[in-house]
């Protein structure tokens, strides 16, 4: 019998018991769908956390917290160590930052802003590290700066400052938060007034040449002010009178940047080998992926149990099919059908049930996944306080192609194994007994 004829034979037998086959396929579909949907929750949470980490951090960034100084202590990063870091393989740029934590205020066109963070940094290295700007350009002169996206909101008139105080005292009241400076701050000259430890004020007129990109999250506000390191000599003594620009400088934050994300892991290991205390996104992702891999394997195992339960239906269906076709099998053997072909016919039938159940199960799983991603966040949003709460930006369910292939392979494999014993039983039927049964 040709393969084409074998397929036609299987289709003919399936049509004879449509209701029974339909119920068996339905059980397989439910088992496959349960497996995919259950495991998709693990994939969804992993994707949500991974996207969140990648949004908040620069992928090629490696934070250098210090260098080991003996077994139990570490020393901060200084200017002499920066040269060593720069010589490390795969380093594209090394950004050094110092926070000027002195009382300060910014003055622009009769407005005053106070709640901002002054960061002294190396602008050339920031440019090499691809600091993203919303508009404008990187500073090229000593008196040029880059401000955060929400810097203008901090510039208030006296009346707006009173309005802000009233708003802060009662955020749920009728007083709205002032919007601050509405015009574009780009290319505007701002006077920064710093107060040193003795209460003495010093003014620095600076020009805004760039505005940083908007933070990834709507609830985040960027009011930083990035100043070139040429100002460190004047600003650092405001908070540290003993600061000597000619001596070795200690940095608050040091970040090394690789040329590409593929080199981050190598750069992290190279710095660790030198004794530096480092942290990179790849390390966090590795530990997180390890946890979620174990989590997803557990979910797939639980889902496989449902497929195994569905296999009981396939076994019963195929066993009944063999019993009902005993006379037919006897005739096939009498006219010369080989046992391998008879076994293959029944295995094809059980495999067809597995394939049909898997295809339908995958389609239903995508539908359930889509509905879960639409409905569950709305329920959580409503539970958390309705429209006033921040929207839940998370993916409850995610079905990658690999999960579909794994679930389909498990479902079809279990279906074939379920039909194996009835198929072997069919090959062992005695011809004379089968024909005598008909008589």
């Amino acid at each position: 019998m040709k393969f084409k004829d074998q397929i036609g034979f299987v289709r003919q037998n399936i049509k004879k018991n449509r209701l029974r086959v339909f119920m068996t396929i339905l059980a397989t579909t439910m088992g496959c769908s349960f497996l995919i949907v259950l495991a998709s929750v693990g994939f969804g949470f992993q994707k949500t956390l991974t996207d969140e980490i990648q949004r908040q951090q620069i992928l090629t960034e490696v934070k250098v917290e210090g260098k080991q100084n003996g077994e139990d202590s570490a020393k901060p990063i200084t200017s002499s160590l920066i040269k060593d870091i720069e010589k490390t393989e795969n380093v594209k740029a090394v950004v050094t930052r110092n926070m000027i934590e002195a009382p300060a205020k910014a003055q622009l066109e009769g407005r005053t802003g106070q709640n901002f963070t002054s960061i002294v940094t190396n602008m050339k290295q920031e440019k090499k590290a691809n600091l993203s700007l919303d508009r404008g350009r990187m500073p090229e002169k000593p008196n040029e700066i880059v401000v955060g996206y929400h810097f203008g909101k901090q510039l208030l008139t006296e009346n707006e400052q009173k309005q802000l105080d009233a708003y802060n005292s009662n955020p749920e009241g009728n007083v709205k938060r002032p919007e601050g400076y509405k015009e574009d701050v780009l290319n505007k000259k701002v006077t920064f007034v710093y107060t040193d430890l003795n209460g003495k004020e010093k003014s620095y007129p600076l020009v805004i040449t760039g505005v940083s990109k908007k933070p990834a999250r709507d609830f985040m506000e960027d009011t930083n002010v990035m100043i070139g390191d040429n100002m460190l000599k004047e600003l650092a003594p405001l908070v540290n009178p003993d600061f000597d620009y000619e001596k070795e400088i200690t940095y608050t934050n040091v970040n090394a940047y690789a040329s590409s994300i593929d080199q981050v892991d190598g750069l992290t290991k190279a710095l660790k080998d030198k004794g530096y205390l480092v942290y990179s996104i790849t390390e966090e992702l590795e530990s997180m992926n390890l946890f979620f891999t174990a989590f997803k394997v557990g979910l797939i195992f639980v889902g496989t149990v449902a497929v195994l339960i569905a296999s009981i239906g396939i076994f019963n269906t195929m066993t009944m099919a063999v019993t009902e076709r005993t006379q037919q099998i006897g005739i096939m053997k009498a006219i010369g059908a080989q046992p391998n072909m008879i076994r293959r016919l029944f295995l094809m039938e059980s495999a067809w049930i597995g394939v049909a159940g898997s295809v339908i199960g995958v389609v239903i799983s995508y539908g359930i996944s889509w509905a879960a991603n639409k409905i569950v966040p709305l329920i959580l949003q409503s539970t958390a306080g309705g429209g006033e709460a921040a929207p839940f930006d998370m993916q409850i369910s995610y079905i990658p192609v690999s999960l579909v292939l794994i679930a389909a392979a498990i479902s079809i494999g279990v279906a074939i194994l379920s039909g194996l014993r009835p198929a072997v039983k069919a090959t062992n039927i005695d011809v004379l007994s089968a024909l005598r049964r008909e008589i």
Side-chain angles (χ1 to χ4, degrees):
M1 184 183 290
K2 295 181 180 179
F3 184 72
K4 181 180 179 182
D5 297 330
Q6 294 176 18
I7 294 177
F9 187 78
V10 171
R11 292 180 58 187
Q12 183 181 0
N13 288 325
I14 289 175
K15 289 180 179 178
K16 288 181 181 177
N17 298 288
R18 289 183 178 177
L19 180 59
R20 187 169 66 197
V21 173
F22 170 76
M23 296 304 293
T24 308
I25 293 176
L26 180 62
T28 306
T29 299
M30 293 175 65
C32 182
S33 300
F34 182 74
L35 190 159
I36 295 176
V37 172
L38 191 65
S40 71
V41 175
F43 281 94
F45 280 122
Q46 182 182 19
K47 189 173 187 301
T48 299
L49 290 177
T50 302
D51 292 344
E52 179 67 21
I53 292 172
Q54 292 178 346
R55 266 197 297 265
Q56 293 182 1
Q57 300 189 28
I58 299 175
L59 298 179
T60 58
E61 182 180 276
V62 179
K63 295 182 182 297
V64 185
E65 304 291 345
K67 188 174 184 181
Q68 288 183 337
N69 186 22
E71 295 183 357
D72 300 326
S73 62
K75 58 182 179 181
I77 301 299
T78 58
S79 49
S80 60
L81 294 177
I82 292 299
K83 296 178 182 177
D84 181 46
I85 297 174
E86 289 175 338
K87 294 177 182 177
T88 307
E89 188 178 2
N90 299 325
V91 170
K92 176 185 178 183
V94 179
V95 174
T96 57
R97 294 178 176 177
N98 276 319
M99 308 295 177
I100 305 300
E101 299 177 350
K105 55 186 178 183
Q107 297 174 341
L108 172 64
E109 298 178 3
R111 294 172 175 268
T112 302
Q114 298 182 1
N115 298 320
F116 58 86
T117 303
S118 300
I119 302 173
V120 177
T121 183
N122 187 314
M123 293 297 181
K124 290 183 179 179
Q125 294 296 317
E126 293 278 7
K127 189 175 182 179
K128 288 177 66 177
N130 296 326
L131 176 68
S132 298
L133 297 180
D134 180 74
R135 55 192 184 276
R137 59 172 176 80
M138 292 296 292
E140 297 174 352
K141 299 179 180 178
N143 67 331
E144 295 178 341
I145 59 173
V146 172
V147 298
Y149 187 85
H150 299 99
F151 177 76
K153 292 179 64 175
Q154 302 298 118
L155 301 174
L156 305 174
T157 62
E158 291 185 5
N159 290 333
E160 288 176 340
Q161 183 60 52
K162 294 178 181 177
Q163 183 181 345
L164 179 62
D165 295 338
Y167 171 80
N168 290 334
S169 61
N170 184 18
E172 303 297 331
N174 297 325
V175 180
K176 295 183 179 180
R177 180 175 177 173
E179 297 182 4
Y181 191 68
K182 297 180 182 178
E183 297 182 24
D184 194 355
V185 297
L186 193 64
N187 297 321
K188 296 292 176 63
K189 181 179 288 187
V190 183
T191 300
F192 288 87
V193 182
Y194 290 89
T195 304
D196 63 14
L197 296 177
N198 298 320
K200 185 178 180 181
E201 293 185 343
K202 292 186 178 180
S203 300
Y204 301 93
L206 302 171
V207 179
I208 300 172
T209 61
V211 178
S212 299
K213 273 197 170 182
K214 186 178 181 181
R217 296 294 182 185
D218 292 338
F219 58 85
M220 298 172 66
E221 287 194 354
D222 181 7
T223 56
N224 294 334
V225 177
M226 302 182 71
I227 307 170
D229 57 0
N230 54 286
M231 294 283 293
L232 183 63
K233 186 176 181 179
E234 297 186 39
L235 296 179
L238 297 175
V239 292
N240 181 14
D242 298 329
F243 177 80
D244 188 349
Y245 190 76
E246 303 300 328
K247 294 184 177 179
E248 198 168 45
I249 301 173
T250 301
Y251 298 101
T252 308
N253 294 322
V254 177
N255 295 326
Y257 292 85
S259 300
S260 66
I261 190 172
D262 297 332
Q263 298 176 349
V264 174
D265 192 44
L267 174 58
T268 303
K269 291 180 180 177
L271 290 173
K272 279 188 174 181
D273 291 340
K274 289 185 174 182
Y276 290 99
L277 306 176
V278 300
Y279 166 80
S280 66
I281 187 174
T282 56
E283 289 188 317
E284 185 171 348
L285 290 177
E286 282 179 3
S287 58
M288 189 183 71
N289 287 336
L290 180 62
F291 166 77
F292 274 105
T293 298
F295 183 56
K296 289 182 292 187
V297 169
L299 293 178
I300 291 175
F301 175 77
V302 174
T304 304
V305 174
V307 178
L308 292 175
I309 294 174
S311 70
I312 298 175
I314 300 176
F315 178 80
N316 289 334
T317 298
M318 298 308 300
T319 301
M320 292 182 67
V322 171
T323 303
E324 292 172 353
R325 296 178 208 161
T326 299
Q327 186 268 341
Q328 186 183 56
I329 295 170
I331 295 175
M332 292 175 63
K333 282 190 170 183
I335 60 177
Q338 296 297 319
N340 289 339
M341 191 200 71
I342 295 174
R343 182 168 58 246
R344 185 164 57 248
L345 288 173
F346 282 94
L347 289 178
M348 288 173 62
E349 192 169 330
S350 60
W352 188 90
I353 294 173
V355 171
S358 299
V359 172
I360 300 173
V362 169
V363 174
I364 292 176
S365 300
Y366 273 104
I368 295 175
S369 177
W370 178 84
N373 290 325
K374 291 291 183 182
I375 297 174
V376 174
L378 294 178
I379 296 174
L380 295 176
Q381 175 78 14
S382 175
T383 305
E388 296 179 358
F392 282 87
D393 185 13
M394 61 184 298
Q395 191 159 2
I396 304 298
S397 173
Y398 172 64
I399 304 177
V401 177
S402 59
L403 176 58
V404 172
L405 296 177
I406 292 173
I410 292 175
S411 299
I412 297 173
V414 169
I416 294 174
L417 291 175
S418 301
L420 183 59
R421 180 172 175 75
V424 172
K425 181 181 177 182
T427 61
N428 295 330
I429 291 177
D430 182 71
V431 176
L432 293 178
S433 299
L435 295 177
R436 192 179 299 119
R437 179 180 176 181
E438 179 62 16
I439 294 171

